[in-house]
Structures are given as structure tokens and as C-alpha cells.
């Protein structure tokens, strides 16, 4: 099938049956009935649900336990850097902080969740699937939570796809939406890294040689990731080839039973994916808006550490330096595939903060910053995700009666 190129900035029309704003697919009067929720699901083993439809919290318990162990280990590693550390000292450190700057940090943490949800909603609307801001927050919270407890930064995307599918968004569309958003997310951090390098290049020398190596490696990985994501959105045949390869591999491992049926499902799903990805062509205005939202998301997250520093010291002259330092910390932490970058981010933060304050104060600032930007964020996102899952299962149980 050949596709005609779209006019630039032309509004995208839905490629699949439309759905209610926050409910199941709307029945088309002409067709007589709406397609089943999993009709557009990507290929999976015969008789088994797709990755989005079959997403379950039950399968994630080992990762949650690993996450808690890593949290304990990383906090212990940070605390051990200061011989004089005590819980009373940390509480006194927090108590003397400026409430206004801490509130700004908390808002930055919430902005990290909010702006990602808005970016996803922007892409969903472009495909003709408008959803509420509340649902966008759920998509983002589930992504942030599962990304934090899995080694991959994109580990939360199946959770987002799960909730999008439950809201009537086909998986072929949600896949394109999440890949496009991840591409803009990676471009945003690369852009900020380049800006901070140009404005605060001497800050890099505050890090040790090993930290510099991590920062360079993380930046290179982000560049490679952006290129791969662009190829996935522009080379639809590659996607089909990858899916067919994984399906064949699953068949050899006795995971996929009916190979031919799975191939047919793969081709059907890839057809919807190809059409959806092609509909992004020429949508410069939409992608620019998504990039801006991801840029604001990254700025929100990076500003938390800066606000925590200002809350403790009040030294506004170092605000830009702290922001640049945290940017390089994020870039370097991307080089190590550890859930939530725990350990890597802590090491880089302590290494950088040591150039601005004593080692003991650097430990206290690192704990305060990570508590607000990461641990509190994961707790909020985990709570939102849990209640959203419970709502889905309760709704399914009531519907089955």
C-alpha cells in the first residue's frame, strides 16, 4: 500500500475507530460494533495477551524488591561517605532549609510528571484520541514508576501502553506515540546538555576523570538512541522485520506456538504502526510542541537539585552552576543501566557537589535532593499507578458480572 504525504501541520485524522474521551471505543453505527480492545494488539504468543493487554503488577514484584534493595544500598553508600552523618543531623539540615525554595523543588518534581503526561496527550490528540489531563498524569506516572524500578529508561512504556489501551487507544497508535515522545525526551536532554556545556563548560572539570568518562558515554548513548528512534519511526519495514525475528525466536524457544498466526498478527499490527508513523510526517508544529513539553519536563527535574541547594545556602550566584552540574549528572547516569540510575547518579552528584561545599554537606544535599526529585517522585507515581490498576481491575470485575 502506498501512502500519500500529508500537508505540513495538517491535522491528523484517526487511523482507527474513534473512542470516547475516557472510556471504551465508540461503536460505529455503520459497522455495527466496535472492534475488541485487543484487535490491534501487537503479536504475542497464541492464546496469550499482548504485552500491553497482559501487563500485570504481579510480574513486577521481583523488580520492586530489587528496587528497594538498591535504594537501601545507595543510601548506605552515600551516608558512608560522611563519618559524622546522623539522622538528627540530616533532619536539622532540612529544618533550616527555606520552605519557599523547597516548595519550588516540590513543584519541579511534580512538573516532571505533569509535562510528560501533557506531551503524550498532545500526540494522542494529534491522532484523534483526545484524553483528559487526569489520564495523561496516569500515563506519565506509570511510565516514571516502572522506569525507576527497571534497568531500562523505557521500561515504563508497557505500563503506559496498558492504560492507553484500556482508554481505547490502539497499540499501534500508542507505540508510535510513546516512541515519538521518547525521541523528544532524549532530544530535550541532549539540547540542555549542549546549552549547559556552552554556558558552563568549566563545570565539567569539577568532576573526576571517571565521572567525565561516564558523562561522555551517557551523551553518546543518548545520541545513538535518538538515531535509532528516528529509524524506528521512518523505517517501518525494519519494525516488521524486528517483530518477525522476535516471533521466530519465541517459536524456537517454545514461547510462540502458532508461528503462522503470529506472523499474520505481526503484519496486521505493523500495518497499523506504519500508517500511524507516516501520519507524523510533516507534523512539525505538533512535534515542536511535544519537544517543548519534554524540554520543560527535563528543566523541572533538573531544577529540583538547584532549588534544594538554594533552600540550604541561599547563594543564588551558584544557581546556574548547580543546574549545569545536575545536567551532567543526568547525562552520565544514562551510561549505566541500573534501575533509577541508583548508585551512578549518587556517585556523580557527590563528585560534583564536592567542588562547592564540604564532603559532609555534599552528602546531606545529595540525600535531600534525591529524596525530593527521585524517592518522593517514585512514591507518588507508584501510588497513582497502584490505584489506577485497582480501578481497572475493579471495573473489569464489575463488567464481567
Amino acid at each position: 500500500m502506498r501512502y500519500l504525504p500529508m500537508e505540513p501541520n495538517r491535522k491528523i485524522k484517526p487511523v482507527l475507530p474513534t473512542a470516547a474521551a475516557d472510556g471504551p471505543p465508540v461503536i460505529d453505527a455503520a459497522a455495527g460494533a466496535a472492534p475488541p480492545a485487543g484487535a490491534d494488539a501487537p503479536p504475542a504468543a497464541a492464546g496469550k495477551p499482548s504485552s500491553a493487554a497482559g501487563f500485570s503488577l504481579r510480574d513486577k514484584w521481583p523488580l520492586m524488591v530489587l528496587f528497594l534493595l538498591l535504594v537501601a544500598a545507595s543510601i548506605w553508600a552515600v551516608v558512608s561517605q560522611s563519618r559524622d552523618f546522623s539522622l538528627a543531623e540530616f533532619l536539622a539540615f532540612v529544618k533550616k532549609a527555606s520552605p519557599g525554595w523547597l516548595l519550588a523543588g516540590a513543584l519541579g518534581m511534580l512538573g516532571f510528571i505533569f509535562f510528560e503526561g501533557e506531551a503524550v496527550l498532545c500526540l494522542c490528540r494529534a491522532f484523534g484520541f483526545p484524553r483528559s489531563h487526569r489520564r495523561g498524569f496516569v500515563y506519565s506516572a506509570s511510565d516514571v514508576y516502572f522506569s525507576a524500578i527497571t534497568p531500562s529508561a523505557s521500561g515504563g512504556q508497557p505500563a503506559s501502553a496498558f492504560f492507553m489501551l484500556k482508554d481505547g487507544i490502539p497499540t499501534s497508535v500508542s507505540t508510535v506515540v510513546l516512541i515519538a515522545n521518547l525521541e523528544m525526551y532524549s532530544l530535550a536532554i541532549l539540547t540542555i546538555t549542549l546549552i549547559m556545556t556552552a554556558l558552563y563548560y568549566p563545570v565539567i572539570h569539577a568532576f573526576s576523570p571517571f565521572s567525565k568518562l561516564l558523562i561522555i558515554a551517557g551523551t553518546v548513548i543518548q545520541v545513538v538512541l535518538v538515531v535509532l528512534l528516528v529509524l524506528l519511526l521512518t523505517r517501518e519495514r525494519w519494525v516488521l522485520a524486528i517483530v518477525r525475528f522476535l516471533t521466530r525466536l519465541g517459536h524456537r524457544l517454545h514461547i510462540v506456538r502458532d508461528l503462522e498466526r503470529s506472523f499474520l498478527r505481526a503484519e496486521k499490527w505493523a500495518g497499523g504502526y506504519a500508517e500511524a508513523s507516516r501520519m507524523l510526517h510533516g507534523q512539525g508544529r505538533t512535534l515542536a510542541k511535544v519537544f517543548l513539553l519534554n524540554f520543560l519536563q527535563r528543566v523541572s527535574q533538573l531544577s529540583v537539585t538547584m532549588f534544594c541547594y538554594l533552600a540550604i545556602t541561599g547563594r543564588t550566584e551558584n544557581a546556574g552552576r548547580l543546574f549545569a552540574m545536575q545536567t551532567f549528572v543526568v547525562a552520565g547516569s544514562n551510561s549505566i543501566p541500573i534501575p533509577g540510575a541508583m548508585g551512578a547518579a549518587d556517585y556523580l552528584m557527590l563528585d560534583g557537589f564536592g567542588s562547592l561545599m564540604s564532603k559532609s554537606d555534599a552528602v546531606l544535599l545529595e540525600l535531600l535532593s534525591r529524596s525530593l526529585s527521585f524517592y518522593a517522585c517514585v512514591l507518588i507515581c507508584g501510588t497513582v499507578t497502584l490505584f489506577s490498576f485497582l480501578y481497572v481491575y475493579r471495573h473489569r470485575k464489575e463488567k464481567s458480572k
Side-chain angles (χ1 to χ4, degrees):
M1 178 184 296
R2 296 183 62 86
Y3 296 84
L4 297 176
M6 296 185 65
E7 300 175 6
N9 297 322
R10 178 182 174 184
K11 187 176 181 180
I12 298 176
K13 296 180 180 180
V15 296
L16 291 162
T18 58
D22 281 294
V26 176
I27 295 178
D28 187 351
D40 191 59
K48 294 183 179 182
S50 68
S51 59
F55 189 88
S56 174
L57 278 176
R58 189 180 307 169
D59 302 330
K60 302 299 180 181
W61 280 113
L63 290 175
M64 295 178 190
V65 173
L66 175 62
F67 171 78
L68 293 176
L69 292 175
L70 286 174
V71 167
S74 62
I75 292 177
W76 176 84
V78 170
V79 169
S80 64
Q81 297 297 312
S82 176
R83 297 179 179 178
D84 301 326
F85 176 85
S86 66
L87 181 59
E89 181 186 13
F90 177 69
L91 293 177
F93 184 78
V94 175
K95 188 175 181 180
K96 73 176 184 179
S98 169
W101 287 122
L102 286 182
L103 177 61
L107 292 176
M109 179 268 291
L110 293 175
F112 175 69
I113 310 171
F114 173 77
F115 285 120
E116 178 180 345
E118 292 302 299
V120 172
L121 289 178
C122 181
L123 288 167
C124 289
R125 284 194 298 269
F127 282 106
F129 293 95
R131 295 296 179 267
S132 67
H133 297 291
R134 178 174 57 86
R135 298 309 298 165
F137 197 87
V138 171
Y139 302 156
S140 175
S142 59
D143 181 19
V144 171
Y145 175 69
F146 283 104
S147 293
I149 67 172
T150 54
S152 171
S154 60
Q157 292 193 342
S160 295
F162 170 84
F163 289 113
M164 294 169 77
L165 180 64
K166 295 303 177 183
D167 288 344
I169 301 176
T171 52
S172 58
V173 173
S174 65
T175 301
V176 173
V177 165
L178 294 173
I179 289 178
N181 189 62
L182 181 58
E183 180 184 348
M184 295 298 107
Y185 179 89
S186 301
L187 276 176
I189 189 59
L190 281 176
T191 301
I192 297 174
T193 302
L194 290 175
I195 294 174
M196 290 298 104
T197 301
L199 296 178
Y200 296 95
Y201 177 74
V203 171
I204 297 180
H205 297 299
F207 293 92
S208 66
F210 180 67
S211 295
K212 293 177 184 176
L213 180 62
L214 292 180
I215 293 170
I216 294 173
T219 303
V220 171
I221 290 173
Q222 287 296 305
V223 172
V224 173
L225 177 61
V226 169
V227 173
L228 290 176
L229 292 173
V230 170
L231 291 175
L232 287 176
L233 289 174
T234 57
R235 300 290 188 271
E236 296 87 359
R237 292 183 179 179
W238 290 19
V239 176
L240 177 59
I242 293 173
V243 173
R244 289 177 67 90
F245 169 78
L246 294 176
T247 303
R248 189 178 289 109
L249 178 63
H251 181 66
R252 291 179 179 177
L253 296 175
H254 305 288
I255 299 174
V256 176
R257 299 177 183 177
D258 193 334
L259 185 61
E260 292 302 320
R261 181 184 175 188
S262 296
F263 277 161
L264 289 175
R265 295 185 64 189
E267 292 175 358
K268 179 181 178 181
W269 176 83
Y273 173 89
E275 186 173 356
S277 63
R278 286 177 181 271
M279 293 182 77
L280 279 178
H281 297 178
Q283 294 299 311
R285 185 176 301 174
T286 297
L287 292 177
K289 185 176 180 180
V290 173
F291 172 79
L292 177 60
L293 289 168
N294 276 278
F295 188 89
L296 292 174
Q297 181 200 15
R298 300 303 290 179
V299 169
S300 297
Q301 182 195 37
L302 294 170
S303 65
V304 175
T305 299
M306 179 188 70
F307 287 135
C308 288
Y309 174 81
L310 293 175
I312 297 301
T313 67
R315 300 178 62 181
T316 56
E317 65 273 14
N318 286 333
R321 183 180 175 88
L322 251 294
F323 189 92
M325 192 170 290
Q326 188 61 23
T327 300
F328 298 137
V329 167
V330 171
S333 63
N334 288 329
S335 63
I336 302 179
I338 299 176
M342 284 182 289
D346 301 292
Y347 169 80
L348 289 165
M349 291 175 75
L350 289 176
D351 190 23
F353 293 167
S355 65
L356 293 174
M357 57 187 69
S358 65
K359 196 170 186 178
S360 59
D361 285 345
V363 168
L364 295 173
L365 177 61
E366 196 277 343
L367 287 175
L368 176 61
S369 175
R370 286 285 280 176
S371 297
L372 189 57
S373 66
F374 182 69
Y375 301 124
C377 182
V378 171
L379 179 61
I380 291 173
C381 291
T383 303
V384 171
T385 302
L386 176 61
F387 279 99
S388 298
F389 268 112
L390 292 176
Y391 175 81
V392 168
Y393 286 122
R394 187 180 68 178
H395 182 71
R396 177 189 298 175
K397 188 176 181 180
E398 292 176 353
K399 191 175 181 180
S400 62
K401 291 183 179 179

